[in-house]
Every structure is written in structure tokens, then in C-alpha cells.
Amino acid sequence: MLPERGQLAGLLLAAGRSSRFDPTGRQSKLLQRLPDGRLVAVAAAQTLLAAVPRVVALVPDNALPTTVQLIQALQQAGCHIVPCPTAQSGMGHTLAAGVAATQNAAGWLVMLADMPAVAASTAQAVAGALQQGAAVAAPVYAGRRGHPVGFAAVCRDDLLLLSGDQGAKVVVERFTVKQIPIDDPGVLIDIDRPSDIA
């Protein structure tokens, strides 16, 4: 179920290739178990779901066993699934596809599915900044901007035009970013290699 007009939507970017994690492509980092037993992608999805009423997970548009497992896990976690046929062209395409699927949203909380260590309170703080009028909001830890990043509806047209592998960098540069100081190192931690799962 997609977000109703006036609600924030969560966009979980889960359509990447995981090439640094497993160059052979046989294993998905998003399906690895964390020490608490949760899958990487499910942990990230649960963080978003704690902050917004609806989460759309952007996944690869294929029928590989890892994709099927990922879709099942994210559906069970409560996400709406949107396959992204242009995901191989870069994160910008994936983000634009998520915004296109949720155009009625009042804004978007964008989270990378390989960032399971972000605290739910951080996602809630970013969502709160959007609800209080920020055009773009992001958490800052130790002087570095992290994830998730929030975008208000005023960014919609710019987000829909995204392409390539730069993500939303051009949109972030165009608007004033509400920086939210936060004591959450998870905003900077992603899973790129098997050794990153501790």
C-alpha cells in the first residue's frame, strides 16, 4: 500500500549489485545475518518503518534466487516492493523510480538497505525535520553527514530527474540542508564486505 497524500514515504534502496561484497554475484550482502539474527536489509527496513507509515523497497528487476529471497524478506517486514529495471544504471535511477512510485507523498526518507546500524531515533529525527518544514534533512555524526536523508515534496521534480550513480547529490546541493547533530555512528556505516558484519 502506497502512502496517502500528505504522508512521508520511506524509500529503501535495495537494488544494488553488491559487487564489492561478492564479486561473483552469488551472495547478497542484504541477505546476510547480523549478530542479532536479522537480515541486513530487514534491519534497515525496520529502521525506516519506525519513522514513516509506508516504506517502498526498490529491488532488482530479475528473478534470481537472491532477489526472490530479498523480496520475500522485505514484504514480510512490511515493505511495498517496486522492481527497478534501470537500477544497473545507478542509484539516481533507483531513487527516481522510488519517487515516481510515491508521487503523492509529502516527502521521502531515503535509506540505503546496506546500512543496518542506523538507530530508529535517527530516522525519526530526520522525518521530524521534514515535518517541521525542512526541504532536505540529514543526520550529522562527528562532523560528517550520513543517512537516511530526507527530502520534502518541494524536491519532487528534481528527484524525478535523477539518473546515473551520483544519487541525490545534485538535489542536496541545490537546497539548504537541515543538519541534525546526532550521537549515532550507524549513520556512516554500510556493509560493503563480509568483514563489515560484526
Side-chain angles (χ1 to χ4, degrees):
M1 192 167 170
L2 297 180
E4 296 176 11
R5 186 176 299 278
Q7 290 183 329
L8 296 176
L11 299 180
L12 184 70
L13 306 187
R17 295 186 299 267
S18 299
S19 57
R20 284 180 293 210
F21 187 85
D22 180 7
T24 69
R26 285 188 219 112
Q27 291 185 77
S28 169
K29 64 183 175 182
L30 302 182
L31 294 173
Q32 301 306 303
R33 293 222 176 260
L34 297 167
D36 66 8
R38 295 180 299 165
L39 299 181
V40 168
V42 168
Q46 289 172 338
T47 297
L48 270 183
L49 286 161
V52 294
R54 301 280 184 271
V55 171
V56 170
L58 286 300
V59 300
D61 189 21
N62 63 52
L64 294 174
T66 52
T67 301
V68 172
Q69 290 174 343
L70 178 63
I71 289 170
Q72 290 173 343
L74 291 174
Q75 283 176 325
Q76 288 175 359
C79 296
H80 178 80
I81 303 298
V82 173
C84 187
T86 59
Q88 299 303 326
S89 299
M91 191 184 300
H93 283 85
T94 305
L95 184 48
V99 173
T102 56
Q103 288 196 51
N104 286 339
W108 300 270
L109 200 57
V110 180
M111 179 104 159
L112 307 180
D114 66 352
M115 296 189 73
V118 176
S121 58
T122 297
Q124 291 162 349
V126 175
L130 292 180
Q131 291 164 339
Q132 292 170 11
V136 179
V140 175
Y141 175 77
R144 294 175 57 199
R145 194 169 61 219
H147 288 271
V149 179
F151 299 92
V154 67
C155 302
R156 178 181 291 111
D157 291 344
D158 294 293
L159 292 169
L160 288 169
L161 293 174
L162 291 175
S163 61
D165 205 27
Q166 290 299 308
K169 183 178 180 181
V170 66
V171 182
V172 170
E173 290 172 350
R174 184 167 177 204
F175 293 90
T176 300
V177 179
K178 168 71 175 170
Q179 298 194 11
I180 305 164
I182 205 117
D183 187 19
D184 179 7
V187 303
L188 305 175
I189 299 170
D190 63 346
I191 305 293
D192 273 337
R193 294 173 178 80
S195 59
D196 293 335
I197 300 174

